[in-house]
Amino acid sequence: MSNLSFSTVQSGPLLDCTVSLHPGVHWLLGNEPAAAASVIDLASGLSRPRRGTVTLNDVTLHRAASPAELGTLPARVHLPRVTVESLLERVLRLKQSDQDPAGLLAQWDLLEWTKRPCQHLSIREARVIALLIALATPRTKLLSLFEPFVLGLSPHKIEHHLHTAAATGAVVLIAAPSVSPHSSCTLNSASVLMLKNGRVLSASDAKISSDKVPLVALRIVSAQARTLAEGLSTDACVSGLTIDEPSSPHLLEVSGPDAAALANAVAQAALRTNAEISQMTLETHHRRPEMEGA
């Protein structure tokens, strides 16, 4: 069983992060890609904090796990000048995996990539290879992934691998602007982190108190904002819905007292309505909620 902890971390655009993650699937949400990328780099051991510590099972990360026990998908991937097949042979051997390159690529319908030179891959294609390697890591202690669901691979296959890793005791950390509408996991305050102004907040920390209605709000950008609002209009955890029409018809604000419950409700509504979400950010305020424009 793995436990990942960040303590008063400072690294680039990431200002502060004091959290502890237990085995399971965790989402780091918010439209701050530079800060999210910093968290993934720290969690994967690709970078070290200027201040503070990153530990796995109470031991500094680089001492607690070997590269063979870590799976990572960073924001930017740099691959060596070899073929995809040659790269996968080396990495799978390092990770002590019994998979062969052709079998791994075939599993994702990418067998035609076998002889392609890595240096000729696009940025997206290089990240696809990195994701395949991360998900093929046996006996993984930690999976840290930056936006894995935007690469065009089967979301259901990705989900299967994530939940398999979590079930065997791994910490799975996914950084994304919003929860994937394909996600089958049920979110709770322990499984959701929010990025706001370079700081990481747990969903429970995102709750606020007020003599009026305590509110957090998720500001969502979606071309189907009205459809998404209709799907959320009867959800018990939603106390306010606002679409600023006609000036911002694609911007939806969803308000309520619990950030994790709101994120889960939005993910489920997006799944039901087939609405695509391009951004989701966390706001806090104390105004009394009203159902507007929905």
Side-chain angles (χ1 to χ4, degrees):
M1 303 286 281
S2 300
N3 295 281
L4 178 70
S5 295
F6 295 82
S7 179
T8 57
V9 167
Q10 185 180 43
S11 178
L14 180 67
L15 301 179
D16 186 60
C17 177
T18 304
V19 294
S20 182
L21 303 180
H22 301 291
V25 179
H26 304 267
W27 290 83
L28 175 64
L29 305 178
N31 188 35
E32 298 185 25
S38 293
V39 173
I40 295 301
D41 286 349
L42 289 166
S44 64
L46 293 176
S47 65
R48 298 187 184 182
R50 299 175 187 171
R51 175 173 56 85
T53 59
V54 180
T55 61
L56 187 67
N57 298 332
D58 299 322
V59 180
T60 303
L61 180 63
H62 70 279
R63 294 178 179 173
S66 71
E69 298 170 313
L70 303 176
T72 184
L73 172 64
R76 296 292 298 229
V77 173
H78 303 283
L79 301 180
R81 298 174 67 87
V82 297
T83 65
V84 170
E85 181 180 38
S86 177
L87 173 64
L88 292 179
E89 282 179 347
R90 296 179 190 178
V91 176
L92 292 174
R93 190 181 310 119
L94 171 67
K95 292 182 176 291
Q96 300 178 344
S97 171
D98 57 5
Q99 290 201 64
D100 65 276
L104 178 59
L105 290 169
Q107 178 184 344
W108 297 90
D109 300 320
L110 297 173
L111 190 57
E112 67 275 11
W113 288 24
T114 304
K115 300 300 182 182
R116 292 185 63 184
C118 290
Q119 64 268 30
H120 294 167
L121 299 178
S122 67
I123 293 174
R124 183 193 69 82
E125 290 170 337
R127 295 189 72 237
V128 166
I129 295 301
L131 178 58
L132 266 57
I133 291 171
L135 297 181
T137 303
R139 298 177 297 281
T140 182
K141 292 184 177 180
L142 173 64
L143 275 177
S144 49
L145 309 174
F146 182 85
E147 298 193 13
F149 290 99
V150 301
L151 299 177
L153 298 179
S154 166
H156 303 295
K157 288 184 181 179
I158 295 174
E159 280 274 322
H160 172 74
H161 282 276
L162 300 184
H163 287 287
T164 298
T168 57
V171 174
V172 179
L173 178 61
I174 306 165
S178 62
V179 175
S180 166
H182 305 287
S183 178
S184 60
C185 64
T186 299
L187 303 183
N188 53 55
S189 60
S191 64
V192 176
L193 302 171
M194 294 286 183
L195 268 172
K196 185 172 176 62
N197 299 327
R199 288 178 166 81
V200 176
L201 305 172
S202 67
S204 56
D205 291 337
K207 296 179 184 179
I208 60 175
S209 59
S210 172
D211 293 335
K212 296 181 180 180
V213 179
L215 283 181
V216 294
L218 298 180
R219 293 173 61 84
I220 298 164
V221 177
S222 171
Q224 297 87 30
R226 176 162 289 279
T227 299
L228 190 58
E230 292 171 354
L232 289 163
S233 60
T234 59
D235 199 293
C237 74
V238 176
S239 56
L241 289 167
T242 303
I243 299 178
D244 186 12
E245 293 182 319
S247 60
S248 302
H250 300 319
L251 179 61
L252 169 65
E253 183 176 287
V254 184
S255 303
D258 188 327
L262 288 181
N264 189 53
V266 169
Q268 296 304 316
L271 180 60
R272 292 193 305 270
T273 62
N274 293 317
E276 293 291 332
I277 299 173
S278 55
Q279 293 181 13
M280 184 161 70
T281 56
L282 174 70
E283 302 289 336
T284 59
H285 51 67
H286 295 192
R287 71 174 177 80
R288 192 174 297 277
E290 299 174 358
M291 292 289 188
E292 301 173 356

